[in-house]
Amino acid sequence: MKIETVQRWVAAVILIHVGGSPAVALAAYSPHLENTKHSSGVGLWVMSGVIGLATTAGVLLIHQRSLLSPWLVLGALPMIISAFYVF
């Protein structure tokens, strides 16, 4: 295996961890703000989607793939799952 391939995978895994953790945390916390202020929960819900999509786009760029990929749905997955609980 080439060193460039290993470097790409290491950078992608670090980006997934650094970007994926806040996206999942925001998506998990957003339904809990429904009792206090619903708009705050919706704001966190939207931020989780933006962070998830940016993380997925970054991984695609690291691996030199097109941004118009079905893998982009994976970045919106935390937002999609928590939408049921937010609304």
Side-chain angles (χ1 to χ4, degrees):
M1 188 176 271
K2 290 184 178 182
I3 189 71
E4 291 86 11
T5 306
V6 174
Q7 288 174 341
R8 282 190 186 130
W9 278 104
V10 168
V13 167
I14 290 171
L15 182 62
I16 289 169
H17 179 70
V18 169
S21 298
V24 171
L26 289 172
Y29 188 64
S30 61
H32 298 291
L33 294 178
E34 186 174 302
N35 296 336
T36 58
K37 194 171 184 183
H38 184 69
S39 62
S40 298
V42 173
L44 290 180
W45 177 72
V46 169
M47 287 191 314
S48 73
V50 169
I51 292 171
L53 289 174
T55 301
T56 307
V59 170
L60 288 171
L61 288 175
I62 287 172
H63 287 289
Q64 298 175 348
R65 305 280 191 245
S66 172
L67 289 180
L68 297 176
S69 171
W71 286 103
L72 208 56
V73 175
L74 188 65
L77 196 61
M79 183 178 169
I80 293 169
I81 293 172
S82 66
F84 177 74
Y85 300 106
V86 171
F87 296 109

